[in-house]
Structures are given as C-alpha cells and as structure tokens.
Amino acid sequence: MRPWSYPMEEKPFKNVVERARDRFHISNDLCRATLCEFFCTAFLLCIGCCASAQYLISRGELIDYFGNTIGWIGALFFAVSLGFRTSGSHLNPAVSFFQFTIGNISGIRFVLFIIAQTTGAFVGSAITFVVYYDAINNFDGGSRAVTGDTATAGIFATYPSPHLSTIGACFDQTVATAVLCIGIGTITDRRNHVPLFIQPLFIACHVMLIGMSLAWNAGYAINPARDFGPRVFTFFVGYGWEVFEHRNYSWFWVPVLCPLLGALIGAWLYQSFIGFHMPDVVDDAVNYDCREVK
C-alpha cells in the first residue's frame, strides 16, 4: 500500500432489520399500499374493539363511554400514523371512495383497498375475540347474543338505538360520514398547509368530535369495513344470522351503503364551498387586518 493512498471505504453497518428490509421490501407500490391498509385496519379494529369490550363487559365500571371513545381515537391515531406515508391510511372504504371520486386513487386501488380494509377489520375483531374470550364467556355464559342484558355483539359491530328508525339511521350515517370527509378534506388539502406529521392527530381529533356528538343514534360506524368485517366474524363465531337479520334486515346494510353516500356528499361539499375557492398560496389569502377594511 502506497503511503499516499487511502484505505478502502468500509461498507456501512446494517443491523438485522435493515438487512431484512433489503431482502423483503416490496417494490410494487400498489402491493405494499394494499398490505398496509390490511395491517393498519386490523390494528385499528383490534385496539378499538378491545376498548369496547372493556366498556361493555365491565358495564362501564372499568372505563366509561368517554374512555371507550378515547380508546378508539388512540387506536385511530396510531393506525393512521402507521401507514400514512405508505398508503395514506384510509382504513375506511368511504374515505377510499372519497379519494376515488376526486381522482386521487385509481379504480383498481379503490377495489383492492376495500378488500384489504374489510379483511383487516375481520382479523382485528378476531384478535379481540381471542383476547377477551374468557371474559365474554363469563359475561354471557357462553350464549352469544345480539340483544338483551348479556349481548356482546356490540363489541364488534354497531347496532342502532331502539328509538332510531330506518330512515333516521340512513340519515345518521350519511351525515356523520359527510362530516368525516369534510374534515379529512380540510386537513389533507395541500392549500391549507397542514404539516404532514400532524395530520394523523388532527384526523383522530376530528373523529373524536364525531364520536362525542353523533354517536347516540347508532355508534358512529361511518366505516363500511369497520362494521361489515366484524359483523361477518360474529356470524361465524356463534352469534348467528341475527347479526344480519336484526330489525328485520333493516340495519346491517345501513353502515355499509350510507357512509359511501355520505363520503360522496362530504367530499364535494368541501370542494364546492371551500376547496375550489381557496388561494393556491398563503400570500394570496385575503388580508383580514382591520386596517385594510374600508
């Protein structure tokens, strides 16, 4: 080795995770986004349904309704944060439909996301059932029920309050999902300049507001995958066909179809009243200084 020569550059050290990433990283964007939607939706439903299980099985003594809502919102915040940079963390066919109608995602991505989200919701609720299997058995004596004092189906899917009519249910889910998508449109609109790192927190807070104001009628499902995936799971684990025939088949389809309509309405209400008219840059915004007012 000549005295003026430099030693060979050492290869940077890679730990086990980095080496595994090099080996197993999925290069296809659609595949990794779909996988991300599955995993994040499963995470959301697992933690959220566990919070509901604690609330229902303890009859509100361990955590009250507010604690249950915080559990779901915490689950949503981390679920959105998990996949925000990979798939956008829709976690909801209504949100994916909203993004599809405004041209942000393709038709094939929309369909694959729905499948991944619904399957993820099924798996997430299954994990909750396994975790709380003994507690559920102790609560209902092994007799799975949809209604009554020992009903536990509400841990997994939503069911309407006794006062709610079918028309009222449709209106409830449509309005709540429209509010959801107006909020998401506001938070994610690039012209609003909301930093990416804080958007998951804002989305979680927005859903918390919906939960604290629009949940009394039917539990604010506002997510076809979140409701239908767990409903199918409960059908298979002993709750029977009643999960679908509840109220003479006038409920189970409401949180599946109406959120899609609500997403469409919310997305275009936001664009029509706000998005189309927003300045492209902050400097173009109206100056609200009172000295400028004539």
Side-chain angles (χ1 to χ4, degrees):
M1 177 178 177
R2 295 186 179 90
W4 60 83
S5 63
Y6 295 95
M8 294 181 62
E9 184 179 347
E10 295 183 2
K11 293 183 178 180
F13 171 77
K14 289 187 177 182
N15 61 24
V16 175
V17 173
E18 290 169 336
R19 292 198 298 270
R21 174 183 169 82
D22 291 340
R23 183 178 181 87
F24 298 110
H25 175 71
I26 299 173
S27 59
N28 184 279
D29 176 66
L30 181 58
C31 290
R32 64 172 178 253
T34 303
L35 182 65
C36 176
E37 286 292 314
F38 164 79
F39 182 84
C40 294
T41 308
F43 180 90
L44 169 65
L45 266 292
C46 174
I47 304 302
C49 287
C50 281
S52 294
Q54 289 195 91
Y55 170 62
L56 190 149
I57 294 173
S58 71
R59 298 189 185 277
E61 294 181 3
L62 185 60
I63 59 173
D64 57 12
Y65 175 77
F66 182 73
N68 181 35
T69 301
I70 292 298
W72 272 100
I73 297 316
L76 178 63
F77 167 67
F78 282 104
V80 173
S81 298
L82 273 171
F84 198 63
R85 294 188 61 191
T86 303
S87 68
S89 285
H90 297 181
L91 316 181
N92 183 342
V95 174
S96 297
F97 185 55
F98 154 39
Q99 297 293 338
F100 172 68
T101 61
I102 64 176
N104 281 349
I105 63 173
S106 65
I108 184 64
R109 184 173 293 247
F110 169 57
V111 172
L112 290 177
F113 274 18
I114 289 179
I115 295 172
Q117 291 156 359
T118 306
T119 307
F122 182 98
V123 172
S125 59
I127 296 172
T128 297
F129 184 77
V130 172
V131 169
Y132 278 100
Y133 179 76
D134 292 334
I136 291 172
N137 275 342
N138 182 66
F139 182 82
D140 64 11
S143 178
R144 306 292 179 245
V146 174
T147 59
D149 291 338
T150 59
T152 53
I155 292 173
F156 306 98
T158 62
Y159 293 88
S161 296
H163 67 266
L164 191 64
S165 66
T166 301
I167 294 176
C170 292
F171 195 70
D172 174 87
Q173 289 297 297
T174 301
V175 170
T177 313
V179 172
L180 170 69
C181 290
I182 289 172
I184 292 176
T186 303
I187 294 165
T188 60
D189 192 328
R190 62 179 179 82
R191 295 179 180 85
N192 273 327
H193 302 283
V194 179
L196 288 176
F197 74 89
I198 206 171
Q199 288 184 16
L201 178 60
F202 281 6
I203 291 171
C205 290
H206 179 57
V207 175
M208 182 176 70
L209 292 176
I210 295 173
M212 300 304 291
S213 59
L214 293 168
W216 177 243
N217 283 331
Y220 75 112
I222 59 175
N223 183 337
R226 173 262 173 276
D227 197 81
F228 188 70
R231 194 177 301 276
V232 172
F233 171 76
T234 54
F235 169 77
F236 284 114
V237 294
Y239 291 87
W241 197 255
E242 189 178 356
V243 299
F244 295 106
E245 68 180 9
H246 182 68
R247 286 198 170 186
N248 196 27
Y249 300 97
S250 66
W251 168 250
F252 83 92
W253 52 269
V254 173
V256 174
L257 298 181
C258 292
L260 298 177
L261 176 61
L264 184 66
I265 293 172
W268 289 103
L269 278 177
Y270 171 77
Q271 295 299 335
S272 298
F273 284 89
I274 304 296
F276 293 156
H277 320 293
M278 189 179 297
D280 286 331
V281 294
V282 176
D283 291 342
D284 291 338
V286 175
N287 188 344
Y288 288 100
D289 191 328
C290 62
R291 292 171 299 181
E292 298 292 328
V293 178
K294 304 297 183 182

